[in-house]
Amino acid sequence: MSFPEMDWGPVWLTMQLAGVTVVVLLLVGTPLAWWLAFTTSRFRTLVEAVVALPIVLPPTVLGFYLLVALGPHGLVGGPWKQLTGAPLSFTFTGLVIASTFYSLPFVVQPLHGSFESVGKKPLEAAWTLGASRFDAFLTVASPMAIRGFLSAVVLGFAHTLGEFGVVLMVGGNIPGVTKVLSIAIYDHVESLEYTQAHFLSVFLLAFSFLILTIVYAINRRLPVHVS
Amino acid sequence: MVANVSGFLLILFFQMFSAVAVAEEVRVAVATNFLATAKEIITHFEQDTAHVVVVSSGSSGKLYVQIKNGAPFDVFFSADVDRPALLEEEGFAVRGSRFTYAVGRLTLWSADSDLIDKNGKTVLSDGTFEHLAIANPKTAPYGTAAQRTLQALGLWGHVKDRLVQGENIGQTFQFVFSTNAELGFVALSQVLDGKINGAGSRWDVAEGLHNPLRQQAVLLVNGQGNDAARAFLSYVKGPKALNVIQRFGYGVE
């Protein structure tokens, strides 16, 4: 099989989207997971349910609300346009926002689990030894929750790679901006370009399989730190 | 007595038979631009014949691929000539059943009633819009027509970076309707549809600027033995349907 002219643009774009989304999700998801693990607030159950919503909702629900919210007259898109002068729909930033919601549970849930299993005791020990709260989190709790972080990063990344419905609804299929892998494959299939569709699909299949295998392998070997 | 009973059975038999013939179901695949029009025709058809029509819609490209891969449709209303012709050649459609049911009209439309003036070319060349929506030129005939129009106007390079593509003309319309794109090339039938009723502003593209949007329908092999499918196709050629088709802004041949 000889490869046709391959357009690597969607591959690179998808990696960028997944990468940026994971970073944003770690920044947002870590404090959220921490709060969920240790709070005694009665709102905890509600927040947990909200975080898990993207798992059960069809992407069209998220896509529909994002289309309305990100638009130039939308709840988010309106102020954004006032602030930056540019609209949010059909942009890379818009896709990052969409993916952050879409992949949120895949980052928060593993972190939440691992924070819970680490427990508060090691932290309290660090505090009594004079470590600041942030320092204790960074040098004590985080390394102990390494499995959780690893799962969070990989699942967040992989789930964003697999995103399709939401991007189809709010992306606009712009090469280099919103034409991600899944959309490019869809496009090729619809245009009867099966060779290109196969090529990208095999790539995605192999890549996803590879990173999941690596994660499971590492997870087995990592030391277990449970208090 | 015996004669009476057999006569009764005979009547019963014919009634059952005709009941079966009348209640046939036809599964129709419709290119998105024609969906609203088709629905109105179907309402008339179901009233007049008691057949039942089940509609699926999508881009012509998608429907074509689905038909080739065994989708259980009886009739296909494409937005172009090529795909029905291909299906005929490839043995998925019944030879000789293909006909032009409508000639589509492309329009540049905005939900903003002040954006587009009578000469749509001005807003395309001088406008400060962020996004111009078109249907995917590779899979949707209205997208191809939009691309040809922009090329004919010499503005393709000028607007290329601001294009957003809908997966089909329905999504393209949705982008403009929701104002995520300020304007877009859509089907005139969508703007004339009852929900919009010609609101906003638009510039109807002269047909000479793009490939003619001849839209053909074809009887699929799947519907070959389906009386309702044949009945529906001839109904679409009839005066009631033609009236609806023209009201939605389509030309007829």
Side-chain angles (χ1 to χ4, degrees):
Chain A
M1 179 173 155
S2 68
F3 290 125
E5 273 293 295
M6 268 328 300
D7 180 11
W8 285 95
V11 177
W12 173 228
L13 180 72
T14 308
M15 296 298 157
Q16 278 180 303
L17 178 64
V20 174
T21 302
V22 164
V23 172
V24 173
L25 274 172
L26 282 180
L27 293 175
V28 177
T30 309
L32 186 58
W34 187 263
W35 182 81
L36 283 173
F38 299 115
T39 185
T40 49
S41 164
R42 58 203 164 97
F43 294 114
R44 183 189 135 152
T45 322
L46 292 179
V47 174
E48 262 188 300
V50 169
V51 168
L53 273 178
I55 297 177
V56 294
L57 279 179
T60 40
V61 173
L62 196 54
F64 170 53
Y65 283 128
L66 283 169
L67 192 70
V68 175
L70 297 185
H73 306 298
L75 206 65
V76 184
W80 179 275
K81 197 176 175 182
Q82 297 246 304
L83 218 68
T84 64
L88 205 47
S89 32
F90 312 120
T91 61
F92 184 78
T93 315
L95 285 198
V96 171
I97 293 173
S99 310
T100 303
F101 280 108
Y102 182 67
S103 299
L104 187 67
F106 294 83
V107 169
V108 170
Q109 289 185 348
L111 287 178
H112 178 181
S114 67
F115 288 155
E116 261 181 356
S117 68
V118 168
K120 232 176 178 169
K121 277 183 189 146
L123 281 171
E124 284 164 353
W127 296 341
T128 51
L129 292 173
S132 76
R133 280 178 174 250
F134 187 65
D135 193 26
F137 169 78
L138 223 58
T139 54
V140 178
S142 291
M144 292 177 76
I146 187 74
R147 278 189 177 192
F149 274 103
L150 188 69
S151 301
V153 167
V154 171
L155 288 179
F157 192 88
H159 194 244
T160 308
L161 286 190
E163 195 176 352
F164 173 65
V166 179
V167 187
L168 186 73
M169 285 186 77
V170 301
N173 197 8
I174 307 168
V177 183
T178 60
K179 188 175 187 172
V180 297
L181 261 175
S182 57
I183 300 286
I185 292 169
Y186 183 71
D187 224 30
H188 284 313
V189 173
E190 296 248 302
S191 315
L192 310 182
E193 296 158 354
Y194 282 13
T195 321
Q196 285 95 325
H198 273 307
F199 184 80
L200 291 180
S201 299
V202 166
F203 172 81
L204 201 51
L205 196 67
F207 185 81
S208 306
F209 177 70
L210 190 73
I211 55 174
L212 288 177
T213 309
I214 291 173
V215 163
Y216 287 122
I218 293 178
N219 239 341
R220 271 182 192 287
R221 278 177 209 166
L222 277 181
V224 189
H225 287 291
V226 179
S227 57
Chain B
M1 177 69 190
V2 173
N4 263 352
V5 170
S6 60
F8 174 73
L9 284 176
L10 202 67
I11 289 167
L12 196 71
F13 174 77
F14 274 115
Q15 274 188 339
M16 277 170 64
F17 187 79
S18 61
V20 168
V22 165
E24 263 194 282
E25 184 183 276
V26 49
R27 282 160 296 184
V28 180
V30 180
T32 317
N33 80 83
F34 195 65
L35 182 63
T37 319
K39 278 187 174 163
E40 198 167 321
I41 295 173
I42 287 163
T43 309
H44 290 301
F45 176 72
E46 289 184 334
Q47 277 168 4
D48 291 355
T49 66
H51 287 307
V52 176
V53 182
V54 181
V55 197
S56 308
S57 69
S59 70
S60 300
K62 174 160 67 200
L63 294 171
Y64 168 78
V65 173
Q66 289 178 345
I67 290 163
K68 278 190 69 175
N69 288 289
F73 300 127
D74 301 314
V75 178
F76 175 39
F77 284 80
S78 184
D80 66 353
V81 177
D82 299 352
R83 289 181 177 87
L86 270 176
L87 288 172
E88 206 176 55
E89 262 171 48
E90 293 161 345
F92 294 97
V94 178
R95 266 184 199 284
S97 66
R98 188 158 57 88
F99 70 101
T100 303
Y101 63 90
V103 181
R105 286 296 308 272
L106 186 70
T107 190
L108 179 66
W109 181 66
S110 170
D112 177 351
S113 53
D114 297 323
L115 188 69
I116 303 170
D117 60 6
K118 293 226 159 43
N119 183 5
K121 211 185 150 181
T122 331
V123 65
L124 287 173
S125 58
D126 306 337
T128 53
F129 58 87
E130 299 279 349
H131 297 298
L132 168 67
I134 66 172
N136 188 339
K138 279 163 79 185
T139 56
Y142 279 84
T144 318
Q147 181 176 4
R148 297 260 173 86
T149 301
L150 287 167
Q151 284 165 340
L153 294 171
L155 293 170
W156 178 253
H158 182 65
V159 300
K160 202 167 174 282
D161 294 336
R162 288 178 282 174
L163 289 179
V164 287
Q165 286 180 18
E167 187 261 327
N168 58 51
I169 200 69
Q171 198 194 15
T172 310
F173 190 79
Q174 181 55 44
F175 283 160
V176 186
F177 179 74
S178 64
T179 70
N180 280 287
E182 293 95 322
L183 69 174
F185 283 99
V186 299
L188 180 58
S189 56
Q190 295 174 300
V191 182
L192 297 182
D193 180 17
K195 290 189 281 294
I196 307 297
N197 231 338
S201 56
R202 71 172 201 264
W203 171 60
D204 296 342
V205 179
E207 285 174 283
L209 284 175
H210 58 80
N211 48 314
L213 284 162
R214 287 175 71 220
Q215 306 191 186
Q216 292 203 324
V218 75
L219 178 65
L220 300 172
V221 168
N222 206 37
Q224 210 165 4
N226 185 334
D227 288 339
R230 288 183 190 273
F232 185 64
L233 282 178
S234 45
Y235 193 88
V236 170
K237 295 175 192 165
K240 254 190 198 172
L242 286 180
N243 190 3
V244 176
I245 290 171
Q246 283 173 315
R247 195 150 41 74
F248 274 86
Y250 292 101
V252 288
E253 282 193 335

